[in-house]
Amino acid sequence: MSDRRSLSESAAALGRAWWAPTMGRLTARGRFLTAAVVAALVVVTLAVWNSPDVSATGRPVAAAAAATPSAEERRLARELAAAREDLAESRAQSQGLRETLGKEQAARLKGEQESAAAQQEAAARKAAAGTGSPNGSSAGHARSAGSSSSATRTTREPGTGPANTRNPTQPAGPAGPVRTRPTAPSKAELVNPTRRQLGLYTAQAPFSFATFDDVAARAGVTPTTVGWFSGWDKPFRADAVTKAWDRGLMPLLTWESHPSDAPNDELDQPAYSLPVILGDPGAGVPGAYDAYLRQYAQDVAALGLPLGIRLDHEMNGDWYPWSERTQTGEPINGNRVGDYAAVWRHVHDIFEQEGAGDLVVWVWAPNIVNNLPASLQAPGVLEGLYPGDEYVDWVGLSGYNRPPYRAGNDSTFAYTFGRSLDQLRAIADKPILLAEIGASEVGGTKPQWIASLFEALTLPENDDVIGLAWFNLTVTSTVRGELVTNDWRIDSRRASTEAFTAGITNPLARFVEGSAPLDAARAAARPAAPVTTPSASPAPSATASTAPEENP
């Protein structure tokens, strides 16, 4: 403070600022003081540059930057990275859904165009032969095929229903012309396959394979079976069977005794009740659909190619009109206890009578029991729905890992299928097909569930499971009165696809083409026996370190 005062006083005495020059030159005093100020600035500058930086918290910045992140900071960083990855996957999934929808729409349009062309061709042939005209019976069929009003759903003539807007596997119109007949194995060869079967349900297959081929390529697998759905308002589709066998795929038809466009929560369909289907043979009253069933069987026999038929699946639940009882014991759709098995035998007998018995692999496939109401889980319920060994070739299951998840659901094969498999095996000693399965992305356990599925299929106790059919669609359906959307697709997310590919290509799971029989595969996976010599200790096989561990 005293230095600044003396400088001011000196300046006042001179009548000008101390740094002001005299006659264009600084005075000696001015030069001295200027040098002093410059020296002071240099000292301050050096002090600032050499002092440590200070952060807002009062700590040196360099020290703060060098500090090790806390556990909480590391956790938050991991969560941020995971959130970014989930966002990227969600964006990719949305793009994939848009692409899939576009392909499904294109496939549906193509199927409808092909069906329309087939109808026109058939009408032209009839007109040329003098047996019909475009304005006669063929046109009448086309008009009835386009009708979809609720007033006609339960009364329309079998084989004249429209495309099912709720089921994208249903194209409009009758079967297209079959110009060539592919070769196929016999039913006996199909019933006892040498390796496990991989089936897919995709949009429009087997009428169009666009989506089917896309998911197979994404998952890196070669399916052996193609599945589709049809109701009793549809005729036999010979083109579906021939297109499947053209690719070496076993056709698997889920055949539902109600119209193809019926909602999945419409229980009361009196025209399709089980007593109506059965009739009263003792009183000379035929079943209401006997003529339809006979024509269907005759068409199967005329084509001469085998197929699987999963007739009225999930019958042990309470959501289809062919089920017998609700969870409170009330009848469904006028059905009586014992009617389901009787209808199955009735349909089977008609196929036998019409010469189609040696072409159909009959698949009896209830729903898994653990998600059913308690009253429908008892073993006696399922046993009462079984038509008998002579009427069934394969037993199967529908099983999904679906929300809302019940307490105890650990997203494993054992939880999903264990109790149901025990009941199936107690009822029949038949090959088992997981005939309709999938897992939702909701909850984030889909990869875990898929890994558990394929791990379980390497175990000896599941040797009787001959394959699975994956429901590869995104579907909105009614579950207990609520609309629920689930993405069941194999390629719904990258982690799910990777888990599926890893499981399906495991040789011990026996899905891989050309894989050795199960016992041989297990022997190959077991480390080779040690080699002993008088002068050397036992040495492991050269390949033992790379072979997978044997499953217990």
Side-chain angles (χ1 to χ4, degrees):
M1 180 69 75
S2 60
D3 290 339
R4 289 198 293 273
R5 188 182 304 113
S6 61
L7 289 174
S8 301
E9 291 171 351
S10 299
L14 291 172
R16 63 176 66 89
W18 60 266
W19 62 84
T22 303
M23 299 300 289
R25 297 172 57 193
L26 288 173
T27 63
R29 183 181 180 83
R31 288 194 297 271
F32 172 76
L33 292 174
T34 299
V37 169
V38 171
L41 290 172
V42 170
V43 171
V44 171
T45 301
L46 290 174
V48 170
W49 277 100
N50 287 281
S51 65
D53 293 340
V54 178
S55 69
T57 61
R59 293 190 303 162
V61 173
T68 303
S70 67
E72 180 66 13
E73 290 170 337
R74 291 195 299 271
R75 184 186 67 80
L76 291 174
R78 289 194 299 270
E79 290 183 358
L80 177 60
R84 286 173 174 166
E85 183 177 353
D86 286 345
L87 177 60
E89 287 223 6
S90 295
R91 287 173 174 169
Q93 183 181 10
S94 298
Q95 179 62 28
L97 284 170
R98 286 192 292 270
E99 293 175 357
T100 299
L101 179 59
K103 291 177 181 178
E104 291 176 358
Q105 290 173 338
R108 186 175 298 112
L109 178 60
K110 181 180 178 183
E112 291 174 352
Q113 289 172 340
E114 289 177 350
S115 296
Q119 288 182 21
Q120 293 174 359
E121 181 180 346
R125 285 200 304 269
K126 286 186 177 181
T131 59
S133 71
N135 297 320
S137 60
S138 297
H141 178 87
R143 283 194 298 272
S144 64
S147 172
S148 61
S149 67
S150 59
T152 61
R153 270 185 191 154
T154 58
T155 58
R156 69 164 60 95
E157 193 70 19
T160 61
N164 185 357
T165 57
R166 296 173 181 83
N167 184 349
T169 66
Q170 288 295 303
V178 176
R179 296 184 174 87
T180 60
R181 183 179 177 277
T183 59
S186 66
K187 173 181 174 177
E189 293 172 302
L190 292 174
V191 167
N192 295 296
T194 57
R195 68 182 177 105
R196 284 196 170 115
Q197 304 301 295
L198 169 62
L200 292 179
Y201 301 95
T202 65
Q204 285 288 302
F207 308 99
S208 170
F209 283 93
T211 308
F212 187 96
D213 290 341
D214 182 63
V215 66
R218 288 175 183 269
V221 297
T222 302
T224 59
T225 303
V226 56
W228 80 103
F229 292 71
S230 185
W232 280 20
D233 59 339
K234 297 282 188 179
F236 174 63
R237 294 295 299 256
D239 55 341
V241 176
T242 54
K243 286 180 179 180
W245 283 121
D246 278 338
R247 288 169 160 254
L249 299 169
M250 176 182 173
L252 176 61
L253 167 63
T254 297
W255 202 22
E256 303 175 323
S257 62
H258 69 160
S260 293
D261 64 342
N264 70 343
D265 59 342
E266 188 176 285
L267 287 179
D268 292 327
Q269 299 181 45
Y272 289 88
S273 73
L274 298 180
V276 168
I277 294 172
L278 280 171
D280 188 355
V285 179
Y289 297 90
D290 284 5
Y292 166 73
L293 294 170
R294 290 193 182 281
Q295 184 62 58
Y296 208 100
Q298 290 167 13
D299 292 342
V300 170
L303 181 63
L305 291 172
L307 74 155
I309 293 183
R310 182 172 65 138
L311 174 64
D312 283 351
H313 62 307
E314 301 171 14
M315 75 300 292
N316 58 330
D318 59 356
W319 50 85
Y320 282 127
W322 51 80
S323 298
E324 292 181 351
R325 288 290 181 269
T326 67
Q327 57 183 302
T328 59
E330 297 299 316
I332 291 175
N333 200 29
N335 301 332
R336 304 159 302 197
V337 173
D339 277 349
Y340 177 85
V343 165
W344 182 287
R345 291 190 289 267
H346 181 69
V347 175
H348 184 280
D349 289 345
I350 288 176
F351 272 66
E352 290 286 339
Q353 293 162 11
E354 300 300 334
D358 290 337
L359 295 170
V360 176
V361 177
W362 294 97
V363 185
W364 181 79
N367 197 76
I368 55 173
V369 302
N370 59 341
N371 279 341
L372 297 179
S375 60
L376 299 178
Q377 294 186 24
V381 173
L382 201 57
E383 186 176 1
L385 298 167
Y386 186 64
D389 284 350
E390 63 270 35
Y391 293 93
V392 174
D393 297 300
W394 293 346
V395 296
L397 286 172
S398 292
Y400 289 82
N401 195 38
R402 67 163 68 240
Y405 299 106
R406 296 192 173 204
N409 184 353
D410 55 358
S411 295
T412 62
F413 179 91
Y415 175 86
T416 306
F417 296 105
R419 290 176 54 206
S420 304
L421 287 172
D422 289 343
Q423 290 195 20
L424 285 188
R425 289 163 178 154
I427 293 171
D429 183 17
K430 297 280 186 179
I432 298 172
L433 177 71
L434 305 180
E436 184 187 323
I437 69 171
S440 175
E441 285 289 358
V442 176
T445 61
K446 186 171 184 174
Q448 171 189 335
W449 188 86
I450 292 173
S452 177
L453 164 71
F454 287 109
E455 181 181 359
L457 294 180
T458 67
L459 303 179
E461 56 262 36
N462 294 318
D463 284 354
D464 54 355
V465 178
I466 60 169
L468 61 87
W470 193 278
F471 191 78
N472 200 79
L473 293 163
T474 301
V475 174
T476 298
S477 59
T478 303
V479 180
R480 301 297 173 191
E482 295 185 4
L483 285 177
V484 180
T485 299
N486 287 295
D487 191 346
W488 307 117
R489 298 174 305 148
I490 292 169
D491 54 341
S492 52
R493 285 194 176 181
R494 183 176 63 251
S496 300
T497 308
E498 290 174 349
F500 189 93
T501 302
I504 203 77
T505 56
N506 180 354
L508 294 182
R510 286 192 297 151
F511 287 95
V512 181
E513 186 173 6
S515 61
L518 187 60
D519 291 341
R522 289 202 178 104
R526 189 179 298 114
V531 177
T532 58
T533 65
S535 59
S537 59
S541 165
T543 60
S545 62
T546 59
E549 294 184 1
E550 180 184 10
N551 287 288

